[in-house]
Amino acid sequence: MAVGRTHAVSLLGLRGAIVEIEADISANLPFFVLIGLPDAALGEAKDRVRAAATNSGCDLPPHKITVNLSPAALPKHGSGFDLGIALAILASAGTVDPASVDRVVHLGELGLDGRLRPIAGILPAVVGAQAAGFTTVMVPTGNAEEAALVPGVRVVAAASLLDAVIWHGGEFEPVPVEPILGHLPVAPEHDDQLDLADVIGSADSVEAMLAAAAGGHHVFLLGPPGAGKTMLAARLPGLLPALSPEDALEVSSLRSLAGLPVGSALPTRPPLESPHHTATAAALIGGGSGLIRPGAAARASHGVLFLDEAPEFPSSVLDALRQPLESGVISIHRANSVAHFPGAFQLVMAANPCPCGQYGARDSDCTCTPTARRRYLGRISGPLLDRIDIQLRVNRITSAQLRLADDTPRMSTAVARGRVLAAREAAAARLASTPWTLNSHVPGPWLRSARMRLAPSTTASIDRALERGGITMRGYDRVLRLGWTLADLDGRDIPGADHVGRALYLRKAMNS
């Protein structure tokens, strides 16, 4: 009997590597050997494959079966290799057309009754197959809509192993089966009913959200309960531009890899992730003992990561964000591999000013000692705060502000998004000859170079703050970036002293 060959995909982060599945049948006593560095779930595939083949009416040969997953040194995880293993064996036995099986990538887990179960990570796996030059992919029926989101790939949906065998030329009578479908509902996109016009009496906060959206800046909001911190954070995704097709595919791939439903269409709005303060580092950044899955920070790529009650998060969890905030990439290291996920998210942190939450509130008295207040906010490390461009104090609105709200025109999300788009286009035009597109991505040395250096009279305020130790050198550069964003929002070609002064205020207003 000839060696049967087909292909599957092994995922490491979002990168899919093609795995060649080889099956050999020798005239020895019945035995099933699976080699090629499988994990525990994959090692159990031999029992699932044998039972599924028997119950589908296409028994495996009663001889020694050796299945090799190549390259052997590549770690392989999960049950998504079941379908490929079964068809490689049946190709070796002559039950199906070996040439047909060899040119198709097969993904799917087998049930003992022969039906195919949906698996997580189908979307990045199909993207990996396409990148390797394959044009046809066979997936479980429950994954077909998700796989079809990848353009230029023919997706073959199979409800069972028998359906796959017949499609590859096996001479069997089709048996109708009820396909196994995913049962998780698809999460709705960001609610466009969350309008920026709902924000009352906080012009500085609205300006901060506009600047954050226009320049991709991170934000820290400090204020008592009920001041509107969560309201502001929830409206930031609505101010961001629509996702490009490439970014939308990446967002959906991250959801797929995390085991979350994707749906039949790519998203158009940026995601919003808001993990609870009890989240671990693995839940926030990503991890896992076997297949490395993305955390909330990775799933927030091209969108917003909102950490409410930030001081309640463990300090070690918050500090794990420092590396992706600088590099835009999340790297998770294991003994035998390194997984990389995109980390291009906007961070919004919100915090009460003290444990009781009332410090600085006009209408309440704080019961916390100065030591307790310092210890509470001290849970957010200085190096992490230094990476936040906008640090703003948010106060509760007064009854007078509430009464005046109906008579005061307020900016809607639609109008604000138009200003954000215009500011981003201006920044992109200015940065057209550079590797960057957003002001928040521009390094400080480039902004301080002879070509981009602002006049001393323009930067006088931040020069004094740097001399007095009010800001660090990193903070100086971040104020410059924010000043350029404010100029873009105002339609100015170059920041003036007022833009730099406002940028310094938005960075230091938390302490005012």
Side-chain angles (χ1 to χ4, degrees):
M1 297 182 182
V3 174
R5 289 184 175 85
T6 189
H7 302 85
V9 178
S10 177
L11 290 172
L12 183 58
L14 276 189
R15 183 178 63 85
I18 291 295
V19 173
E20 185 180 54
I21 303 175
E22 301 173 302
D24 175 73
I25 301 174
S26 57
N28 294 324
L29 293 176
F31 195 60
F32 199 134
V33 180
L34 181 61
I35 56 178
L37 209 58
D39 69 348
L42 180 51
E44 295 168 348
K46 53 190 177 183
D47 297 314
R48 291 192 298 270
V49 167
R50 190 179 292 279
T54 300
N55 292 324
S56 299
C58 43
D59 299 88
L60 302 184
H63 302 293
K64 181 181 178 181
I65 299 172
T66 303
V67 174
N68 178 45
L69 308 177
S70 179
L74 178 71
K76 304 164 191 75
H77 307 281
S79 55
F81 296 85
D82 289 4
L83 179 60
I85 291 172
L87 290 173
I89 297 170
L90 294 174
S92 178
T95 306
V96 296
D97 180 7
S100 176
V101 170
D102 190 21
R103 59 175 173 260
V104 177
V105 173
H106 298 93
L107 305 166
E109 175 187 336
L110 286 172
L112 298 184
D113 60 356
R115 290 189 297 171
L116 282 168
R117 299 180 180 276
I119 60 173
I122 277 288
L123 194 54
V126 175
V127 171
Q130 180 197 45
F134 288 88
T135 58
T136 306
V137 178
M138 181 176 286
V139 301
T141 301
N143 288 130
E145 282 189 345
E146 180 181 332
L149 295 176
V150 182
V153 176
R154 179 189 181 190
V155 176
V156 179
S160 66
L161 175 60
L162 183 60
D163 288 350
V165 168
I166 294 173
W167 192 88
H168 282 298
E171 297 179 355
F172 295 88
E173 289 294 326
V175 177
V177 298
E178 182 179 354
I180 301 175
L181 304 176
H183 299 293
L184 291 175
V186 178
E189 291 201 51
H190 175 74
D191 191 353
D192 284 335
Q193 294 181 358
L194 300 177
D195 202 291
L196 191 64
D198 297 335
V199 180
I200 298 173
S202 186
D204 288 343
S205 301
V206 172
E207 181 184 35
M209 291 298 106
L210 273 175
H217 303 284
H218 308 302
V219 184
F220 180 55
L221 302 173
L222 181 72
K229 303 185 295 295
T230 302
M231 172 186 285
L232 289 165
R235 281 151 181 77
L236 180 56
L239 305 181
L240 300 176
L243 295 172
S244 67
E246 296 79 12
D247 292 345
L249 186 60
E250 190 170 78
V251 169
S252 294
S253 295
L254 287 162
R255 287 186 57 84
S256 174
L257 191 58
L260 301 173
V262 173
S264 57
L266 292 175
T268 58
R269 301 302 307 146
L272 172 65
E273 290 286 334
S274 181
H276 192 260
H277 60 75
T278 57
T280 63
L284 185 62
I285 300 298
S289 57
L291 179 64
I292 301 176
R293 296 189 183 277
R299 298 196 303 273
S301 284
H302 310 296
V304 177
L305 175 65
F306 177 46
L307 303 184
D308 199 6
E309 307 292 347
E312 301 294 341
F313 284 79
S315 297
S316 59
V317 173
L318 290 178
D319 283 340
L321 293 171
R322 286 158 56 179
Q323 181 256 340
L325 286 180
E326 284 293 319
S327 65
V329 177
I330 298 172
S331 299
I332 300 175
H333 294 254
R334 291 293 181 266
N336 56 359
S337 60
V338 180
H340 299 288
F341 296 109
F345 57 87
Q346 281 186 250
L347 176 64
V348 179
M349 294 196 301
N352 294 328
C354 63
C356 78
Q358 304 305 323
Y359 180 67
R362 304 185 186 98
D363 53 353
S364 302
D365 294 326
C366 175
T367 60
C368 305
T369 65
T371 302
R373 291 196 294 267
R374 286 195 301 269
R375 185 183 300 117
Y376 184 71
L377 290 180
R379 298 176 186 175
I380 305 174
S381 69
L384 177 60
L385 272 180
D386 206 29
R387 289 167 167 81
I388 309 299
D389 297 358
I390 300 173
Q391 302 176 20
L392 188 67
R393 186 175 184 92
V394 184
N395 297 312
R396 296 188 183 120
I397 65 169
T398 64
S399 58
Q401 289 172 320
L402 187 60
R403 286 194 298 271
L404 292 173
D406 292 337
D407 301 326
T408 304
R410 299 190 299 277
M411 187 182 305
S412 68
T413 292
V415 172
R417 190 187 300 161
R419 289 190 60 190
V420 168
L421 289 173
R424 287 201 173 202
E425 288 173 359
R430 182 175 63 252
L431 302 171
S433 60
T434 72
W436 316 293
T437 56
L438 292 177
N439 290 323
S440 60
H441 298 164
V442 178
W446 190 81
L447 286 177
R448 290 182 272 108
S449 65
R451 175 186 174 187
M452 302 298 297
R453 186 182 302 136
L454 301 177
S457 59
T458 302
T459 61
S461 58
I462 55 175
D463 291 337
R464 288 193 299 269
L466 182 64
E467 290 173 1
R468 295 170 181 172
I471 57 175
T472 64
M473 196 65 226
R474 179 189 283 123
Y476 185 98
D477 290 340
R478 290 186 179 277
V479 172
L480 281 179
R481 297 172 189 169
L482 188 54
W484 278 98
T485 297
L486 294 175
D488 290 336
L489 282 169
D490 288 346
R492 298 275 294 275
D493 294 333
I494 189 170
D498 57 330
H499 296 114
V500 176
R502 283 160 55 197
L504 180 61
Y505 169 75
L506 288 176
R507 182 171 176 84
K508 304 296 291 181
M510 186 180 72
N511 300 322
S512 61

